[in-house]
């Protein structure tokens, strides 16, 4: 039975990736590539005309700060001593990479990213299944209710969670006073693990709806006839999920994981409001902020920002390699 389901899934995947396109069968052009038809060239030209202005604006907005940060990271530059500015090459990077504070912040940031993305992926998929299976009359209400946390500004959400768990104004301790270890006098922000728990919980509550919407879009792309065929063949719910639904959602899962991983790796608001880096909860974004704004070390702060950007690129590369999804829209080979 599982062989039949796998074969059916592979057949659908092969048909989706090897289907005839507008350029299939066209004569080869220079370099052995198939020569595109006039219609394909016209569509590509129209696409660039429509997306080109936005692409140029985004490139200008993002490229200039990155290049400026790279340039500033090559200098010893402290605003309190402007006359001491000097070119030191990669000296700032050597100082940062040799500082255990940086590596500890990198570990905290990576831990928050991994935990939040894993929990949000599970919860988001469950919410997406609920919305996907809900009757038509309830879908709008469910989507609205689920999207409420995501519509709240991150700073407002962070303050709400901070006051809820605060020892002065919090009410969470009274709710869970029956749990061993939780008392009305428990200070959640006095320890590393309890602080990280609140930070991660607030992040999960805020951004799980975003993942659920992305996964809901992926569920809508799963062929219903393939699910029905697997069910007729006697496949269990888990077998249908594993061999039919999840393989056809690979692109949506990659987009959800990638977007949330990049966002979680750049976390700043929750940590700044709740702990301000106390109890070993400093993340890379907060470290860059403290170095650049607090200590006015523009060179060192820019170097930390560049390293943060490099980490983001590494995360993108790893995610694309793991999921093997064609960014143009085709599914990669399994």
């Amino acid at each position: 039975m599982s062989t039949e389901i796998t074969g059916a899934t592979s057949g659908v995947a092969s048909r989706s990736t090897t289907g005839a396109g507008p350029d299939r069968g066209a004569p080869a052009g220079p370099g052995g590539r198939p020569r595109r038809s006039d219609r394909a060239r016209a569509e590509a030209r129209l696409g660039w005309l429509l997306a080109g202005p936005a692409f140029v604006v985004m490139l200008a907005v993002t490229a200039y700060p990155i290049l400026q940060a790279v340039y500033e990271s090559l200098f010893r530059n402290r605003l309190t001593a402007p006359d001491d500015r000097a070119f030191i090459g990669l000296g700032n990077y050597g100082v940062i990479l040799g500082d255990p504070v940086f590596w500890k912040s990198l570990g905290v940031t990576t831990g928050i990213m991994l935990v939040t993305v894993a929990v949000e992926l599970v919860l988001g998929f469950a919410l997406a299944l609920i919305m996907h299976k809900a009757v038509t009359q309830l879908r709008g209400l469910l989507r609205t209710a689920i999207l409420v946390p995501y519509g709240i500004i991150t700073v407002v959400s962070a303050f709400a969670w901070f006051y809820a768990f605060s020892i002065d104004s919090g009410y969470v301790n009274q709710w869970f006073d029956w749990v061993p270890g939780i008392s009305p006098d428990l200070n959640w922000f006095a320890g590393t693990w309890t602080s990280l728990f609140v930070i991660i919980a607030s992040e999960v509550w805020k951004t799980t709806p975003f993942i659920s919407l992305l996964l809901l879009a992926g569920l809508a792309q799963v062929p219903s006839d393939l699910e029905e065929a697997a069910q007729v063949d006697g496949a269990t719910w888990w077998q249908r999920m594993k061999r039919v639904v999840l393989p056809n959602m690979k692109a949506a899962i990659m987009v959800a994981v990638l977007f949330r991983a990049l966002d979680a790796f750049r976390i700043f608001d929750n940590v700044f409001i709740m702990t301000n880096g106390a109890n070993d909860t400093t993340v890379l974004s907060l470290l860059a902020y403290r170095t650049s704004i607090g200590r006015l070390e523009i060179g060192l702060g820019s170097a930390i920002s560049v390293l943060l950007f490099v980490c983001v690129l590494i995360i993108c590369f790893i995610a694309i390699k793991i999921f093997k999804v064609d960014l143009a829209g085709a599914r990669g080979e399994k």
Side-chain angles (χ1 to χ4, degrees):
M1 177 190 64
S2 61
T3 306
E4 297 176 358
I5 299 174
T6 306
T9 308
S10 303
V12 173
S14 62
R15 287 195 299 270
S16 63
T17 54
T18 60
D23 300 329
R24 188 168 299 277
R33 297 181 178 179
R35 183 174 299 170
R36 295 191 300 176
S37 63
D38 295 338
R39 177 180 177 181
R41 288 195 296 268
E43 290 179 352
R45 184 164 54 250
L46 178 61
W48 278 109
L49 289 176
L50 294 176
F55 176 76
V56 172
V57 172
M58 290 183 61
L59 185 63
V61 171
T62 57
Y64 174 76
I66 294 174
L67 295 177
Q68 183 67 25
V70 173
Y71 175 77
E72 292 293 342
S73 67
L74 303 177
F75 289 84
R76 181 180 64 243
N77 183 15
R78 188 171 187 177
L79 295 183
T80 56
D83 296 334
D84 195 30
R85 176 185 171 93
F87 178 81
I88 57 174
L90 300 178
N92 287 325
Y93 295 96
V95 173
I96 294 171
L97 295 177
D99 192 343
V101 175
F102 170 80
W103 295 106
K104 183 179 294 185
S105 302
L106 178 61
V108 173
T109 307
T110 305
I112 292 176
M113 178 195 69
L114 293 177
V115 174
T116 54
V117 171
V119 175
E120 290 173 10
L121 188 61
V122 175
L123 295 179
F125 187 70
L127 293 175
L129 284 176
I130 293 174
M131 291 187 290
H132 184 66
K133 298 297 183 180
V135 295
T136 307
Q137 291 79 1
L138 296 178
R139 286 181 182 176
L141 179 61
L142 282 175
R143 293 176 185 178
T144 303
I146 291 174
L147 278 176
V148 168
Y150 190 65
I152 299 176
I153 301 174
T154 306
V155 175
V156 176
S157 172
F159 270 115
W161 280 78
F162 173 75
Y163 289 131
F165 284 85
S166 175
I167 193 174
D168 299 324
S169 59
Y171 48 83
V172 174
N173 289 347
Q174 283 74 19
W175 282 4
F176 299 99
D177 56 358
W178 54 272
V179 179
I182 298 182
S183 65
D185 299 328
L186 176 61
N187 188 356
W188 291 84
F189 301 106
T192 301
W193 295 110
T194 53
S195 299
L196 290 177
F197 172 80
V198 180
I199 292 171
I200 292 174
S202 64
E203 188 75 1
V204 169
W205 178 82
K206 172 75 169 62
T207 53
T208 296
F210 175 72
I211 280 193
S212 67
L213 283 182
L214 293 178
L215 296 181
L216 179 62
L219 283 172
Q221 301 300 319
V222 178
S224 58
D225 55 346
L226 193 57
E227 286 189 82
E228 294 173 359
Q231 189 172 5
V232 169
D233 289 339
T236 63
W237 179 87
W238 172 245
Q239 288 175 328
R240 296 198 302 272
M241 283 291 116
K242 182 179 179 181
R243 299 186 180 276
V244 178
V245 177
L246 294 179
N248 286 278
M249 288 181 60
K250 185 183 289 187
I253 294 174
M254 189 208 73
V255 171
V257 170
L258 184 59
F259 278 23
R260 274 303 301 140
L262 298 182
D263 192 33
F265 194 81
R266 297 181 292 106
I267 183 173
F268 174 81
D269 308 68
N270 294 8
V271 179
F272 179 77
I273 291 171
M274 295 183 185
T275 64
N276 198 20
N279 304 318
D280 295 329
T281 59
T282 303
V283 292
L284 286 181
S285 297
L286 182 60
L287 181 63
Y289 170 82
R290 283 180 171 177
T291 305
S292 301
I293 307 301
R295 296 170 49 189
L296 301 179
E297 292 278 2
I298 303 302
L300 286 174
S302 299
I304 297 175
S305 300
V306 172
L307 292 176
L308 178 62
F309 176 71
V310 172
C311 292
V312 168
L313 293 180
I314 294 175
I315 293 173
C316 293
F317 178 79
I318 293 175
I320 293 174
K321 287 297 182 181
I322 289 177
F323 287 95
K324 297 179 181 179
V325 173
D326 185 4
L327 295 180
R331 295 179 177 88
E333 298 180 359
K334 294 186 289 182

